[in-house]
Amino acid sequence: MSLGKLIKFRKTLSFRLTIWYAGIFTLSSFIAFSVFYSRIYSITMARADEELIEETEEISAALNEGGIGAVRAEIAEEAEEEDENNIFFRVISRDGEILATTNMSSWGNIDISHKTIKAQDSQANYVLQTLAIPGREYKARVISAPIGPKEIFQMGMILEEEEEYLKIFRNLFYLLFLVMAFVSGLFGWFIARQGLRDVEEVTRTAIEISSGSHDKRVRVKDRYEEIERLGNAFNMMLDRIQSILLAMREINDNIAHDLRSPLARIRGIAEMTLVREKSADDFKKMAASTVEECDTLIDMVNTMLEITEAEAGVAQQNIEEFDLAKLISDACDLFRPIADDKHIDINLSIPDKLHFRTDRKKLQRMVTNLLENAIKYTPDGGTVAISVLVHEGQVDIVIQDNGIGISQDDQPHIFERFYQSDKSRSTTGIGLGLSLAKAFAVALGGKIIVKSTLGDGSTFRINLPASSFS
Ligand code: ADP
């Protein structure tokens, strides 16, 4: 692995998790081993100490019964039985005179420690020490005990057996420790890889999407809960981005198809006037037509922007409280002159007051668009009825006409941008009114439902959720 790759690898989460896992596991094993070892050590030492104490008690009894002579005999007997390189006995007076001893040539200089003197002063029973003997491989355990008014008994034992025994344990621990560090490292790596495998798939999907596969999604089934949530959030974000991309593409198409014609018309008018007509009146007519076409264009562009903003969910919501009954009757008043011209009756069936809480301007645009259509697509002498139904905490604003109706084939398309069932039927529209109404309804958490029969009339129902009531 090159140095660059190694540095990169050290920065990976898998590596960090492995190190943490192996580190914590190894440290805990080390603590457990240390506790276990210290327990074995104390048990082993306690056993050696017991032997020393027992021997001390025997020598003390011999001194009490038969004086120093008996002690000498006892020590000599012990020395015969044991190897004097591994064990020693001696009795020293308080001022350093040796009263009895075994051969101590291999033991070096073993003093009576201050602790022993203090112990004798305080009438304590014994002092135990572990001493390193110069030139010897193993340490020695030495007991020093006052056994008479002047006499101090000392006995030392080389701890060969005990140290060998503890060494076996230590070596076993070292070995186990190494194996555990290695195994926990492997295990940690495996767990980290398992956990991060799914995250890597999210990354792979993101890379694939950025290189053009916009339809790709992260697989979320049979995943760990956290990864499932990450995948869902990621997929939701992708859906959203895709819908915005689609909306942008649609706008591009719309610009290509629908804005081109009014522009071409404006150009055509100007060209015709320049080429053929020269009078001031003709120029005035051309200017008037150009203004008219420009107004339509501005209207189109503004409405398209509003639809796109509402669909993309970036339009600001100005939630306010208002009286829905008044909003509807104001809209009717606005259209009454046009309806009167066509001898169309507008029947209102709404409560006196209906407190409502939503984006008032958006709702107003929806109602006026639908009302305008109802009047526009109803022949002279027809009827338009508006009612408000409150049910199960929802509200329906119903706009019904007995006009020309919409064919079954056209109904699925009327909410599409620039869709007009039959251009000859609509003289004034641009085919954006229903798209805008639908985009606003969805933005307010509702929907618009249409029922229509060609020749019999249409019913448009704006359905808004319970949260809109104040
Ligand atoms: P337009 O500007 O053409 O009215 P809309 O988006 O408002 O555009 O409506 C789309 C099409 O749906 C219209 O062209 C018309 O054919 C049809 N339509 C809408 N409302 C009605 C209605 N109340 N009765 C019959 N047809 C309707």
Side-chain angles (χ1 to χ4, degrees):
M1 200 184 280
S2 71
L3 189 67
K5 269 191 183 163
L6 196 70
I7 292 172
K8 245 188 185 173
F9 176 68
R10 280 186 51 210
K11 283 188 180 164
T12 60
L13 188 56
S14 312
F15 178 74
R16 297 279 157 97
L17 285 175
T18 308
I19 292 294
W20 272 104
Y21 187 84
I24 291 171
F25 199 74
T26 313
L27 188 73
S28 351
S29 332
F30 178 75
I31 293 170
F33 284 163
S34 306
V35 171
F36 188 52
Y37 180 75
S38 81
R39 190 82 195 103
I40 290 176
Y41 181 86
S42 0
I43 292 171
T44 313
M45 284 307 167
R47 237 186 260 151
D49 290 350
E50 236 172 66
E51 214 180 312
L52 291 170
I53 293 163
E54 250 174 48
E55 208 60 58
T56 305
E57 279 165 1
E58 272 176 34
I59 298 291
S60 178
L63 186 73
N64 281 344
E65 280 166 23
I68 194 73
V71 171
R72 278 196 192 109
E74 179 85 28
I75 287 178
E77 200 181 301
E78 291 284 353
E80 251 174 53
E81 281 172 24
E82 309 278 349
D83 179 355
E84 282 167 297
N85 280 328
N86 290 340
I87 199 159
F88 82 87
F89 301 87
R90 75 175 172 183
V91 180
I92 314 175
S93 74
R94 209 180 156 159
D95 36 24
E97 191 194 338
I98 296 171
L99 303 173
T101 185
T102 52
N103 181 6
M104 288 191 63
S105 51
S106 57
W107 286 86
N109 193 17
I110 295 179
D111 288 331
I112 305 170
S113 69
H114 291 295
K115 274 191 193 165
T116 317
I117 309 280
K118 264 195 206 158
Q120 196 179 30
D121 290 344
S122 66
Q123 308 280 298
N125 287 340
Y126 50 79
V127 171
L128 284 157
Q129 288 166 290
T130 303
L131 302 175
I133 312 293
R136 304 288 296 263
E137 191 184 347
Y138 304 105
K139 285 185 179 153
R141 188 78 170 157
V142 175
I143 189 166
S144 304
I147 51 170
K150 275 191 182 170
E151 295 84 355
I152 294 169
F153 172 68
Q154 276 195 312
M155 178 184 169
M157 249 172 36
I158 292 291
L159 296 169
E160 182 178 350
E161 218 175 89
E162 289 78 0
E163 280 196 16
E164 281 296 327
Y165 176 67
L166 288 171
K167 201 170 150 192
I168 292 172
F169 266 103
R170 270 198 315 271
N171 287 343
L172 189 72
F173 284 168
Y174 291 147
L175 188 73
L176 271 176
F177 190 66
L178 282 179
V179 171
M180 288 210 105
F182 181 71
V183 170
S184 62
L186 269 185
F187 203 59
W189 174 252
F190 175 74
I191 290 179
R193 296 300 303 158
Q194 275 285 106
L196 295 176
R197 198 190 54 201
D198 292 347
V199 176
E200 263 168 24
E201 198 185 313
V202 177
T203 314
R204 260 200 310 278
T205 313
I207 293 171
E208 278 173 25
I209 290 165
S210 65
S211 54
S213 319
H214 300 291
D215 292 334
K216 275 254 163 200
R217 291 293 176 272
V218 178
R219 195 171 57 82
V220 285
K221 274 203 173 143
D222 306 324
R223 295 285 152 114
Y224 297 116
E225 168 83 27
E226 294 86 344
I227 302 292
E228 223 177 277
R229 267 189 284 145
L230 172 71
N232 277 331
F234 191 71
N235 286 345
M236 261 157 61
M237 185 188 78
L238 291 177
D239 288 345
R240 188 110 187 82
I241 292 175
Q242 201 175 19
S243 75
I244 291 173
L245 279 176
L246 276 177
M248 280 168 64
R249 208 172 292 159
E250 223 174 284
I251 287 196
N252 275 355
D253 290 351
N254 292 157
I255 289 173
H257 294 117
D258 299 278
L259 295 188
R260 232 183 239 170
S261 7
L263 284 172
R265 278 202 299 275
I266 293 172
R267 196 181 180 284
I269 296 166
E271 204 173 23
M272 292 249 290
T273 314
L274 281 176
V275 175
R276 291 194 198 153
E277 320 288 347
K278 297 277 190 274
S279 76
D281 256 10
D282 293 327
F283 277 114
K284 268 187 192 164
K285 267 188 211 156
M286 181 209 80
S289 308
T290 308
V291 167
E292 207 176 299
E293 290 289 355
C294 283
D295 282 349
T296 313
L297 263 178
I298 292 167
D299 198 22
M300 237 184 216
V301 171
N302 285 341
T303 315
M304 266 165 61
L305 284 176
E306 280 180 287
I307 295 172
T308 313
E309 276 181 7
E311 282 178 352
V314 292
Q316 245 198 336
Q317 301 265 37
N318 292 315
I319 307 295
E320 52 186 306
E321 279 185 29
F322 58 92
D323 180 9
L324 177 64
K326 182 164 173 1
L327 184 144
I328 294 173
S329 66
D330 284 353
C332 291
D333 291 344
L334 189 72
F335 286 100
R336 214 172 295 278
I338 309 170
D340 287 347
D341 277 354
K342 291 179 79 177
H343 307 288
I344 290 174
D345 266 349
I346 300 181
N347 294 336
L348 253 179
S349 160
I350 52 172
D352 285 345
K353 264 196 183 325
L354 199 57
H355 289 292
F356 219 56
R357 196 170 179 281
T358 188
D359 189 320
R360 190 178 58 83
K361 282 196 177 142
K362 284 197 175 67
L363 186 61
Q364 194 172 36
R365 289 284 290 280
M366 285 151 67
V367 172
T368 49
N369 279 6
L370 295 183
L371 191 57
E372 187 184 6
N373 278 352
I375 296 169
K376 191 159 71 174
Y377 298 110
T378 299
D380 287 9
T383 308
V384 172
I386 304 183
S387 55
V388 175
L389 303 173
V390 180
H391 60 102
E392 290 163 17
Q394 298 193 6
V395 69
D396 279 348
I397 303 167
V398 186
I399 297 160
Q400 193 175 9
D401 64 66
N402 60 358
I404 58 174
I406 307 159
S407 74
Q408 295 297 315
D409 290 346
D410 283 330
Q411 279 178 36
H413 305 290
I414 54 172
F415 293 102
E416 289 168 14
R417 275 173 227 179
F418 296 106
Y419 189 86
Q420 292 181 303
S421 315
D422 174 1
K423 292 216 180 207
S424 62
R425 307 192 311 172
S426 168
T427 44
T428 50
I430 50 172
L432 286 176
L434 285 183
S435 309
L436 184 76
K438 186 187 167 187
F440 280 0
V442 173
L444 298 183
K447 57 188 170 196
I448 298 183
I449 301 151
V450 60
K451 271 192 187 148
S452 183
T453 314
L454 198 62
D456 276 353
S458 314
T459 305
F460 283 85
R461 188 154 55 90
I462 304 171
N463 174 265
L464 290 173
S467 54
S468 308
F469 287 108
S470 58

